[in-house]
Amino acid sequence: MASITLQGITKTFGDVTAVRQMELAIGDGEFFVLLGPSGAGKTTTLRLIAGIEGPDHGRVLMNGDDVTNVAPAHRDCAFVFQQYSLYPHLTVFDNIAFPLRSPLRRTDPAEVKRRVREVAELLHIESKLERKATALSGGEMQRVAIGRALVREPRVFLMDEPLSSLDARLREELRVELKRVQQRSGATVVYVTHDQVEATTLADRIAILEAGAIQQVGTPQQIYREPDSLHVAQRLGSPAINVLPAEWFEGSCHPLAAHVAIRPEDVELSHGNGQASFQVIECSLVKHLVVAERAGVEVRSRRMFEHALAPGSAVRFHFPPQHCLFFDQSGRRLAAPH
Ligand SMILES: Nc1ncnc2c1ncn2[C@@H]1O[C@H](COP(=O)(O)OP(=O)(O)OP(=O)(O)O)[C@@H](O)[C@H]1O
Ligand SMILES: [Mg+2]
């Protein structure tokens, strides 16, 4: 297993800067998640770690050794690609077994059989082993691709949205399995997703990526509770964090604050009328959510009454100061006022 360090990595494609001066230190045995929207540079970062792309500037280190100019085969990373890439003329068995039979590894045939079966069972594709890879559904192909990575014992697993083509139940099941495999093997995993549930349940630490630049690195808890910027605050949490105008907090607010943000689970709710009240837009006991509006600003609360509130009825919100986060005009987080 291995630690991974990216030092000042920049990668451009023509006039697009896919990765910008990236500094990242991923620990040996860490489950590290890159979370960001489409085009943020997630796949490019994985490809740079694997050695499929070379950086314009900067260095890639594994276990402290500079591997920037080392060929992919010698970096020993198992890659699960975003678009599953199987050998169509081979069976499922042979696809999964492929890395074990490479000249670099030459595994004993009985051992190959044992390992392939074990992985196939884990991924629920044991009944498909004799099929051609082309005779599978998309979700099955993706599981074969995951199997081909898991069958090895590489230094690093690089996984690019490996569960995105699976249905919700299977995704949940495999999420648990992947975490278990990682914990058992102590593997270093760099895992790309734009699904925040996946990110927060799998990650030891998350890097929030935006336009090729890292916005923040931390545990899911740190990113959720202590975001450095409004942008990061809005990346995690469903329903999303409330962003309220600073004028609502006169006196109790940071003098430079332009926005005050508070998580829906921290917004307290009471019956109310009069000037400070909000109009209910949606109230769902199932979703455990009340959405109400005042002067064009929507507020979401996860504190519920015993009974549903009719749309149009009046409620009051209370925003406990200890849960409020303050941001300046540019979205930078400000220290809480004392
Ligand atoms: N081979 C390439 N040639 C030109 N531009 C590229 C190439 N690969 C990536 N890019 C550009 O670099 C940027 C980052 O791409 P990347 O594939 O890393 O994003 P991503 O975060 O993986 O997005 P997605 O979630 O859509 O997969 C994008 O603007 C993309 O268009
Ligand atoms: Mg991608």
Side-chain angles (χ1 to χ4, degrees), residues 37-44 46 82-83 160-161 192 194:
S38 187
K42 306 182 297 295
T43 297
T44 306
L46 287 192
Q82 193 168 5
Q83 273 89 24
D160 198 352
E161 312 217 19
V192 161
H194 55 244

Side-chain angles (χ1 to χ4, degrees), residues 7-236:
Q7 293 180 336
I9 294 275
T10 295
K11 178 70 187 174
T12 55
F13 297 103
D15 54 6
V16 177
T17 304
V19 172
R20 194 183 302 270
Q21 291 170 353
M22 188 178 285
E23 301 284 340
L24 201 55
I26 299 170
D28 188 2
E30 193 167 26
F31 203 119
F32 195 90
V33 171
L34 296 173
L35 179 67
S38 187
K42 306 182 297 295
T43 297
T44 306
T45 304
L46 287 192
R47 291 169 66 85
L48 287 159
I49 294 171
I52 303 166
E53 301 282 359
D56 302 337
H57 302 287
R59 303 197 306 161
V60 181
L61 280 66
M62 282 185 177
N63 280 339
D65 297 328
D66 188 340
V67 296
T68 316
N69 298 311
V70 172
H74 296 285
R75 294 197 194 183
D76 197 17
C77 301
F79 207 130
V80 180
F81 292 93
Q82 193 168 5
Q83 273 89 24
Y84 27 84
S85 51
L86 303 179
Y87 301 105
H89 58 288
L90 296 183
T91 61
V92 168
F93 185 100
D94 290 335
N95 264 283
I96 298 177
F98 197 86
L100 298 177
R101 293 169 172 162
S102 93
L104 283 177
R105 243 167 260 109
R106 289 190 197 288
T107 316
D108 170 62
E111 175 67 5
V112 170
K113 203 164 180 181
R114 191 189 66 74
R115 299 253 291 267
V116 172
R117 294 217 161 265
E118 189 181 87
V119 165
E121 271 170 38
L122 188 73
L123 299 168
H124 307 305
I125 43 174
E126 63 270 38
S127 64
K128 309 274 157 70
L129 284 172
E130 298 316 315
R131 283 219 203 154
K132 281 271 164 38
T134 43
L136 298 174
S137 74
E140 288 163 350
M141 287 191 207
Q142 188 61 349
R143 279 179 279 160
V144 176
I146 295 170
R148 202 167 50 186
L150 293 184
V151 80
R152 293 176 47 190
E153 278 156 17
R155 295 214 290 180
V156 175
F157 286 105
L158 303 173
M159 299 196 173
D160 198 352
E161 312 217 19
L163 307 183
S164 57
S165 62
L166 307 179
D167 66 55
R169 221 196 61 194
L170 195 54
R171 196 157 59 218
E172 212 163 289
E173 201 178 319
L174 286 189
R175 200 164 69 208
V176 175
E177 286 300 341
L178 280 183
K179 185 73 182 173
R180 192 175 298 153
V181 167
Q182 186 262 346
Q183 284 176 332
R184 206 174 49 207
S185 63
T188 307
V189 178
V190 188
Y191 187 101
V192 161
T193 183
H194 55 244
D195 177 342
Q196 54 162 314
V197 176
E198 239 172 77
T200 48
T201 51
L202 285 170
D204 293 319
R205 286 191 306 152
I206 299 175
I208 305 280
L209 207 58
E210 176 78 20
I214 290 178
Q215 307 288 310
Q216 190 171 348
V217 178
T219 63
Q221 175 78 7
Q222 283 167 341
I223 303 261
Y224 189 77
R225 283 286 161 205
E226 300 289 327
D228 288 343
S229 66
L230 198 52
H231 175 81
V232 170
Q234 288 171 309
R235 273 269 143 230
L236 286 194

